[in-house]
Amino acid sequence: MAEAQAQQRGGYTEEVSAGSSAVDGVRFEVDGEIATITLDRPEKRNAQTFATWSELARIGESLPEQVRVVVVKGEGPSFSAGIDLRMFTPEGVPGQGSFSSAAKSDGTTFEQRIRQAQAGFLWLRRPEIVSIAAVQGHAIGAGFQLALACDLRIVADDVSFCMKEPALGLVPDLTGTKPLVELVGLAKAIDICLTARTVRADEAMRIGLAEIVVAGGDLGQAVQDKIAELLATNRDAAAATKRLLQGARGRTLEEQSVAEGIEQAARIRALFG
Ligand code: ACO
């Protein structure tokens, strides 16, 4: 592993080495085909800021090509308590401003800022990777949406998902609405969001929000087991299959069949010349 460097970026200290970084409460480690992103501000329940989202986007942009699985997890008792509530105060988060200062700028700039934040979530759906959210404790607002941004959710039995935004006069805008509807259906998504109620482990499992529920102490092992299963399949076939599955909803059966044929022809050519 290359020698760690310390850099100064945007007023925040950055520790960078070939296989790891730690910036603004986000830790990033790469071990062969597995990358792990850890929200690492447990004393603030991994509350997220503009800097968190910039760092997530930066990780996505520079993700090493060999990575096939990305795990997103949170240090401490909560996966993430959502947006850092200081962003709603006039003072904001030191060095990063606040929503009230952002709202005073023109509409385009504010929308661009949201797009920049969303970039930290969107890359987790790339076909070349499978992203897994390992979720314990609270996943509120932006925390819930970060879990929704991942392909799979493996959760501890103390998990509590809550889409708090509508209770605060906001909408969920960190890419969470589409995966939520696709996972649980429109009626359940309306129920969950417009009541801002808590969804616990048994319901999460029942309605498709979670793939696996385990006892809290078993979360790490459950994620490792899933990674081993995912890495056992062929890398290129896995990416092609994910592309097909992701496109399925938007295509007719006939169109999907054609897409399957195109991907398979490419596989056969790659495997047998
Ligand atoms: N933003 C900033 N600080 C937070 C946040 C947050 N979202 N959540 C927790 N913290 C801080 C607390 O202020 C406290 O700090 P302090 O020790 O300096 O006083 C520390 O984290 C621990 O929080 P507690 O409330 O003591 O922890 P507890 O485990 O009892 O409760 C819980 C956790 C339920 C998550 C609670 O902290 C909470 O309700 N947080 C706010 C959740 C929220 O409304 N998020 C916004 C959602 S909307 C969106 O994301 C767009």
Side-chain angles (χ1 to χ4, degrees):
M1 184 178 293
E3 195 176 307
Q5 309 164 277
Q7 302 177 0
Q8 201 68 21
R9 193 176 62 97
Y12 295 88
T13 302
E14 182 177 10
E15 298 280 337
V16 183
S17 74
S20 68
S21 65
V23 181
D24 296 323
V26 181
R27 260 187 8 247
F28 176 58
E29 285 137 337
V30 176
D31 180 8
E33 295 179 309
I34 305 162
T36 305
I37 297 171
T38 308
L39 302 184
D40 192 14
R41 246 176 11 121
E43 71 287 358
K44 295 291 177 195
R45 302 297 182 265
N46 301 320
Q48 302 173 33
T49 66
F50 286 127
T52 313
W53 304 323
S54 305
E55 179 55 9
L56 290 175
R58 190 194 68 79
I59 290 170
E61 280 161 19
S62 57
L63 193 74
E65 241 177 63
Q66 82 266 16
V67 170
R68 289 188 61 189
V69 178
V70 176
V71 178
V72 181
K73 61 185 192 149
E75 199 64 62
S78 300
F79 176 72
S80 171
I83 195 167
D84 191 316
L85 292 169
R86 287 176 303 170
M87 287 168 71
F88 297 130
T89 65
E91 301 77 31
V93 177
Q96 298 187 50
S98 69
F99 273 105
S100 60
S101 58
K104 282 180 199 136
S105 53
D106 70 85
T108 310
T109 303
F110 190 70
E111 284 165 16
Q112 282 172 343
R113 210 149 185 208
I114 293 174
R115 288 299 291 161
Q116 284 164 2
Q118 291 168 337
F121 293 62
L122 287 170
W123 67 268
L124 290 161
R125 293 284 182 183
R126 270 182 211 157
E128 296 75 23
I129 59 168
V130 177
S131 50
I132 303 174
V135 189
Q136 81 287 0
H138 299 98
I140 304 177
F144 190 1
Q145 294 191 73
L146 184 57
L148 285 166
C150 293
D151 294 312
L152 306 176
R153 280 147 296 281
I154 298 180
V155 308
D157 53 9
D158 70 343
V159 77
S160 62
F161 292 109
C162 171
M163 201 65 92
K164 185 89 173 279
E165 286 83 344
L168 300 175
L170 301 168
V171 300
D173 67 343
L174 290 167
T175 78
T177 54
K178 187 173 167 67
L180 182 64
V181 170
E182 289 179 351
L183 284 168
V184 306
L186 179 59
K188 188 63 77 180
I190 288 173
D191 170 29
I192 290 169
C193 294
L194 273 63
T195 62
R197 70 179 178 82
T198 295
V199 178
R200 299 195 189 278
D202 53 348
E203 185 185 3
M205 189 69 199
R206 200 172 60 245
I207 66 177
L209 265 182
E211 273 62 49
I212 306 171
V213 178
V214 294
D218 298 335
L219 187 57
Q221 189 56 52
V223 171
Q224 290 309 315
D225 292 348
K226 185 54 66 184
I227 291 173
E229 289 174 5
L230 288 165
L231 293 182
T233 59
N234 175 282
R235 166 192 286 265
D236 295 328
T241 303
K242 185 172 166 188
R243 267 196 304 275
L244 277 174
L245 296 173
Q246 286 180 314
R249 257 180 231 268
R251 298 193 194 105
T252 64
L253 181 58
E254 182 59 30
E255 290 165 344
Q256 183 71 2
S257 308
V258 171
E260 288 174 359
I262 293 168
E263 290 284 11
Q264 192 70 306
R267 294 302 319 130
I268 301 282
R269 273 195 301 274
L271 289 171
F272 307 111

